[in-house]
Amino acid sequence: MKKYGVNDLRRMYLEFFESKGHLAMKSFSLVPHNDNSLLLINAGMAPLKPYFTGQEIPPRRRVTTCQKCIRTGDIENVGKTARHLTFFEMLGNFSFGDYFKEDAIKNAWGFLTEELKLPKEQLYITIYNDDDEAHDLWRKITDMPEERILRLGEKDNFWQMGETGPCGPCSEIHIDRGAEHACNHPDGCALGVCDCDRWLEIWNLVFMQYNRDENGVMTPLPRPSIDTGMGLERITSVMQNVNSNYDTDLIYPLIEKVEEISGKQYDKGADGFPFRVIADHARSCTFLICDGVLPSNEGRGYVLRRILRRAVRLGKSLGIEGPFLYQFSAKVADMMGEDYPELLD
Ligand code: SER
């Protein structure tokens, strides 16, 4: 498998979907526009909601983005697992009533196995319980054996963002990172059973069919649509053959910066926790402040304040005295300014 840098992967993804007729759009701000249901953009589809519901006309019926996202719901896992982050970039391709399941599956499979040349025998699929159509398409389009297609319930394979908005059954692509990453789950380490780092979800294909309102009522969207999301950091870790998001060229240089400031050496095991959290949180703080969020006691400002305080507290645990977090913003801008020129501005 060829090793790619993160900037190559971001570009390859967008170019692949442009070659399939998609319009590549710039990432939207982390601050939602005209949307009171969300504090911060937490998925590639979030800023595109009005296109799914038919409230606004999209610039094209096929769009692709690499969207900056913030998720803090599982902040306690950040730095503990290989895959949790508060700031991440989500690669996505979207169809607003244009193609549906068949082309979504065909394109995802084509990108992973022909462009990136991931070994097919390591890939696993999950589908929503009764989604026979998705099952049959995976069987028809790919040579995925029956035993590597798992049917799971609503918790795993029905996607919705919070309580309201466009939603639908989904199909996820996972990669088996190998028995050396297995956990000791009492029922055995297996996809759909445990939640360890062996089974890495790399791509979620959502078959958008409904809009859920404030009362929980689901009405069909004007036309079935597609929303896919692949974490750039995760696919980078796979392509760079490293064990965690933190070991990729997207984050490791920030861990080195923590080493430089603290004078301490990073440990990839449990002792490296503060280094990983500071590296992640430094990215979140830099991008949030860049998009105009400032620390405060409420709303999105409180999210930033919480992230910032956590990073500072862990800096203290490494013996760092005085303000230090600001030193990361220039580094983040250096690393990512080409794709996010607002950081340089
Ligand atoms: N909305 C889905 C997710 O965030 C796919 O993009 O996982």
Side-chain angles (χ1 to χ4, degrees), residues 1-17:
M1 214 163 60
K2 194 172 156 193
K3 274 200 185 174
Y4 293 99
V6 65
N7 295 329
D8 303 321
L9 291 166
R10 202 189 279 112
R11 200 193 57 243
M12 280 172 79
Y13 182 89
L14 297 173
E15 285 176 359
F16 178 84
F17 281 97

Side-chain angles (χ1 to χ4, degrees), residues 41-50 52 65 67 69 90 94 96 159 161 165-167 206 208 226-228:
I41 294 299
N42 60 359
M45 60 73 70
L48 307 171
K49 275 199 298 189
F52 285 110
T65 57
Q67 174 64 47
C69 298
M90 190 175 263
F94 308 93
F96 309 111
W159 198 86
M161 184 186 58
C167 55
V206 184
M208 289 287 193
I226 289 294
D227 150 33
T228 86

Side-chain angles (χ1 to χ4, degrees), residues 54-86:
Q55 268 169 288
E56 285 178 31
I57 314 253
R60 199 182 291 175
R61 298 256 297 276
R62 299 172 174 219
V63 161
T64 182
T65 57
C66 177
Q67 174 64 47
K68 30 189 188 179
C69 298
I70 296 272
R71 279 190 197 173
T72 53
D74 37 24
I75 194 168
E76 300 301 329
N77 284 328
V78 172
K80 289 188 186 149
T81 72
R83 61 189 195 279
H84 284 95
L85 297 169
T86 58

